[in-house]
Amino acid sequence: MTTLHPLFRKTRLIAGVDEAGRGPLAGPVVAAAVILDDKCPIDGLADSKMLTPWQREELAIKISGRALAWSVAWSDAAEIDRLNILQATFLAMRRALLGLCLRPGLVEVDGNRLPNLDFAGTRIDGNAIVGGDAKIPAISAASIIAKVYRDRMMCRLDSLYPAYGFKQHKGYATVAHRECLDRLGPCPQHRRSFKPVSRF
């Protein structure tokens, strides 16, 4: 008898999905998928951009401990350059959904477009919700997990490429980051399809 992967078992569970890192000049775009437990509500969930780093870290601990399931995945700089940032983001979202130990019956994504939700011929229903990271708790939770995880990745990359200051700016196009680019040129973590990196 064949055992179905959990993704293909029918459930009524709802997964919130969001990403972090679409705009930076360097590093991966990270997506998270979270299925919250209605019996264990988490106070303080909000759009990750509206929270302090300390608040995000504290909430990430609560989410990972109380959620029914959660998963993080990413697309790296090379994939972003090859696919474009939108398709790389959708790929990271699909990977995050595939990483869940439970199959959601509905996927709710922050934004106005959905990734491909067909998995080996099985389609999961989905809703794209503009501003969903501030409205839907599961999406808020996903935004927090994605942001915390990406920030940690950028801190690790900082130890490999200390001259670029990734720990401080997380790859975003700050004045300090642009000055590093002007002085050093891009490293392997930079997105060469993004301006101003593309001029090198």
Side-chain angles (χ1 to χ4, degrees), residues 54-119:
W54 181 85
Q55 288 173 322
R56 288 194 295 265
E57 288 284 350
E58 289 294 305
L59 284 166
I61 293 170
K62 293 179 181 179
I63 294 163
S64 60
R66 299 183 194 177
L68 292 175
W70 65 276
S71 173
V72 177
W74 62 91
S75 291
D76 63 20
E79 287 180 316
I80 292 167
D81 288 339
R82 188 174 74 251
L83 299 174
N84 75 48
I85 185 59
L86 177 62
Q87 295 305 318
T89 299
F90 285 164
L91 177 59
M93 288 179 173
R94 281 177 59 84
R95 287 170 172 166
L97 287 166
L98 283 167
L100 291 171
C101 62
L102 298 171
R103 177 207 162 169
L106 176 67
V107 172
E108 295 187 326
V109 178
D110 180 52
N112 59 7
R113 297 179 66 178
L114 290 169
N116 180 0
L117 296 177
D118 286 318
F119 296 91

Side-chain angles (χ1 to χ4, degrees), residues 25-28 75-81 154 157 160-162 164 166 177 181 184-193 197 200:
L25 305 179
S75 291
D76 63 20
E79 287 180 316
I80 292 167
D81 288 339
M154 294 308 296
L157 289 176
L160 296 175
Y161 306 95
Y164 292 92
F166 290 147
H177 190 187
L181 271 173
L184 303 170
C187 77
Q189 296 300 324
H190 280 96
R191 304 171 182 181
R192 292 182 175 269
S193 58
V197 186
F200 291 95

Side-chain angles (χ1 to χ4, degrees), residues 19-32:
E19 54 72 28
R22 284 186 66 173
L25 305 179
V29 59
V30 175

Side-chain angles (χ1 to χ4, degrees), residues 8-20:
F8 305 120
R9 298 174 189 157
K10 292 185 177 181
T11 73
R12 296 181 180 179
L13 300 174
I14 298 173
V17 177
D18 201 4
E19 54 72 28

Side-chain angles (χ1 to χ4, degrees), residues 141-182:
S143 77
I144 292 165
I145 291 290
K147 175 63 174 169
V148 167
Y149 199 94
R150 186 180 188 279
D151 283 357
R152 291 174 183 172
M153 292 178 77
M154 294 308 296
C155 288
R156 289 194 292 270
L157 289 176
D158 183 80
S159 66
L160 296 175
Y161 306 95
Y164 292 92
F166 290 147
K167 187 173 183 180
Q168 284 72 43
H169 54 67
K170 307 300 188 293
Y172 284 88
T174 63
V175 171
H177 190 187
R178 286 172 180 265
E179 289 175 350
C180 288
L181 271 173
D182 290 339

